[in-house]
Amino acid sequence: MTLPSLSLSLQFGALADAALHRAALPRHTVARCIRHALETDAEITVRIVDAEEGQALNRDYRGKDYATNVLTFDYATDPLVMADLVLCAPVVAREAAELKKPLAEHYAHLLVHGTLHAQGWDHETSEADAEAMEARETAILAGLGQPNPYAA
């Protein structure tokens, strides 16, 4: 299987525990997760941010005044996907701990999730769309050797 090409920029904001997040997100792993979720070639920037930056972006662009795990800013889908994925390190770390999952595993799920959003997938439009997106994420993650993120 030939995967789509990817031009990737991986950025880390000012994080108190940057080493932990850098270790969970080696560039080759980030690229692998995204490429497996792509349906076409892409130019994607992944930025790992602190809670303050994550909250400001969520508030300014979505009108929700809290830091969320992943934000997707999609700019184009044809002829190639162009997007920014912003992952909030403290939120991702907290969720991984609550779910009793390795940090790298949770990041893999959110990278796939955000990449699907960049291609027009949406889980907030209907229950059927949510189920379809979850099924697609689960299949992609299985192909990456990752467990089902929605399994109890």
Side-chain angles (χ1 to χ4, degrees), residues 6-9 16-17 20 51 72 79 94 112 114 120 127 129 138 148:
L6 172 65
S7 174
L8 173 66
S9 175
D17 52 356
L20 172 73
T72 300
R94 184 190 76 239
V112 167
E127 186 63 33
D129 288 345
T138 300
N148 179 348

Side-chain angles (χ1 to χ4, degrees), residues 5 14 21 37 50 70 93 102 115:
S5 69
H21 296 278
D50 63 10
V70 61
T115 301

Side-chain angles (χ1 to χ4, degrees), residues 9-45:
S9 175
L10 178 59
Q11 305 171 358
F12 290 84
L15 304 173
D17 52 356
L20 172 73
H21 296 278
R22 286 182 184 274
L25 290 164
R27 183 180 179 77
H28 69 277
T29 300
V30 172
R32 184 170 181 255
C33 290
I34 292 171
R35 287 184 71 211
H36 275 78
L38 286 172
E39 297 167 12
T40 189
D41 297 342
E43 294 178 1
I44 294 181
T45 296

Side-chain angles (χ1 to χ4, degrees), residues 14-93:
L15 304 173
D17 52 356
L20 172 73
H21 296 278
R22 286 182 184 274
L25 290 164
R27 183 180 179 77
H28 69 277
T29 300
V30 172
R32 184 170 181 255
C33 290
I34 292 171
R35 287 184 71 211
H36 275 78
L38 286 172
E39 297 167 12
T40 189
D41 297 342
E43 294 178 1
I44 294 181
T45 296
V46 174
R47 181 163 172 79
I48 312 305
V49 302
D50 63 10
E52 183 178 344
E53 186 174 347
Q55 181 174 354
L57 288 167
N58 201 25
R59 180 187 60 241
D60 294 350
Y61 292 95
R62 293 182 66 227
K64 299 182 179 188
D65 196 16
Y66 58 87
T68 190
N69 53 16
V70 61
L71 291 167
T72 300
F73 298 93
D74 55 327
Y75 308 113
T77 56
D78 187 41
L80 73 156
V81 173
M82 296 177 68
D84 294 336
L85 305 181
V86 179
L87 292 98
C88 184
V91 174
V92 176

